[in-house]
Amino acid sequence: MDDPELLRYSRQIMLPGVGVEGQQRLQEAHAVIMGLGGLGSPVAAYLAAAGVGRLTLVDPDHVEVTNLQRQILHTDADIGRDKVESAARRLAAMNPNCRVETRAERLDVDAMTTLFAKADVVLDGTDNFASRGAINRAAVASGTPLVSGAVIRFEGQLTTFDYRDPEAACYHCLYGEGGGDEDTCAANGVLASLPGVIGSLQATEALKLLIGLPTLSGRLLIVDATNMQFREIRLRRDPDCPVCGQRPA
């Protein structure tokens, strides 16, 4: 790192457990962000600002006016643009040292598996069970750690599935086939700031994982914004899981 970069990240470098070595790990890391909406916006912003060297943004959707209440990377001027294009422009302005690549398409599991195999961490910011299930299958197949967040109404959830650990549970162990299309923010609503809370925590998990610090792996964090309560439950791998059950122990 040169002197301007050392100065930019100085408040992070001074932290115990980070240092220049940890910052160098971030600079050399590649993170894939699936979805550039309410969760993906703060995820991408904080990873870029923190110095992650390469981000791949994946989202097939365009910016709509209903997104602007919570998807903070986008503005009125971006309505109609690809979300990945809008996000990439903002991230480039935030930190020109961050290499940003975009995929404005819906990837199948095979394409995601190939992409994830080249990454150090995947962050799921999608808003439906079908997408989350597909992302999980690809992450399990590639062995890439997955930081998963979800929000709806006044509720949020967060965990890290670290598939480098053969005993780690996967998303399917926790949720099975999940719910239907009605379990989305579009159908149920969401408090504007809540995706920012969970997305920021997702970014925190990813930064810690890339640096080599402990994460939420093996635990699920549940946030009740109505009563401002945080609680967690332990996760255990299902040996009969059809997605991860065949991984060697």
Side-chain angles (χ1 to χ4, degrees):
M1 287 184 290
D2 55 25
D3 288 344
E5 288 175 315
L6 289 171
L7 181 60
R8 175 186 283 264
Y9 306 120
S10 60
R11 298 299 187 272
Q12 189 161 266
I13 289 172
M14 68 173 60
L15 294 174
V18 181
V20 174
E21 181 180 351
Q23 191 63 48
Q24 190 70 39
R25 289 179 183 176
L26 295 180
Q27 192 174 46
E28 296 170 355
H30 176 202
V32 175
I33 302 172
M34 302 297 294
L36 273 298
L39 293 171
S41 288
V43 163
Y46 275 112
L47 294 189
V52 174
R54 180 183 174 195
L55 300 179
T56 298
L57 314 180
V58 183
D59 195 316
D61 294 336
H62 300 87
V63 179
E64 301 177 1
V65 67
T66 55
N67 302 150
L68 302 182
Q69 163 250 13
R70 65 200 178 280
Q71 301 183 15
I72 59 173
L73 282 183
H74 315 300
T75 68
D76 282 275
D78 298 314
I79 292 174
R81 287 184 178 143
D82 290 340
K83 286 187 179 179
V84 292
E85 175 194 351
S86 170
R89 288 157 56 103
R90 291 288 300 277
L91 298 178
M94 291 175 61
N95 189 352
N97 298 321
C98 180
R99 176 183 169 191
V100 180
E101 302 165 355
T102 60
R103 302 281 296 269
E105 56 188 311
R106 194 176 305 278
L107 304 180
D108 61 21
V109 172
D110 289 340
M112 285 191 286
T113 301
T114 300
L115 174 61
F116 296 174
K118 303 173 184 176
D120 300 291
V121 65
V122 177
L123 297 106
D124 184 357
T126 59
D127 67 349
N128 62 83
F129 281 103
S131 295
R132 292 175 192 150
I135 291 167
N136 176 67
R137 290 194 295 275
V140 169
S142 65
T144 310
L146 171 64
V147 181
S148 178
V151 292
I152 194 167
R153 295 181 290 267
F154 291 88
E155 305 161 8
Q157 296 184 0
L158 170 76
T159 192
T160 295
F161 301 106
D162 193 345
Y163 298 131
R164 299 171 300 181
D165 176 3
E167 291 303 319
C170 83
Y171 184 87
H172 194 279
C173 294
L174 179 61
Y175 290 109
E177 295 301 328
D181 292 338
E182 70 277 3
D183 296 317
T184 65
C185 293
N188 294 272
V190 63
L191 185 69
S193 57
L194 186 59
V197 174
I198 301 300
S200 297
L201 292 174
Q202 281 184 269
T204 302
E205 280 289 284
L207 292 173
K208 291 191 300 174
L209 184 146
L210 294 172
I211 292 169
L213 299 174
T215 69
L216 269 173
S217 182
R219 295 174 291 152
L220 174 70
L221 181 67
I222 301 172
V223 179
D224 174 4
T226 303
N227 299 302
M228 201 52 74
Q229 293 179 337
F230 290 66
R231 61 188 180 92
E232 66 176 49
I233 61 174
R234 292 284 179 177
L235 302 181
R236 187 169 295 178
R237 181 184 176 191
D238 178 3
D240 298 320
C241 175
V243 175
C244 74
Q246 299 305 311
R247 284 189 299 152

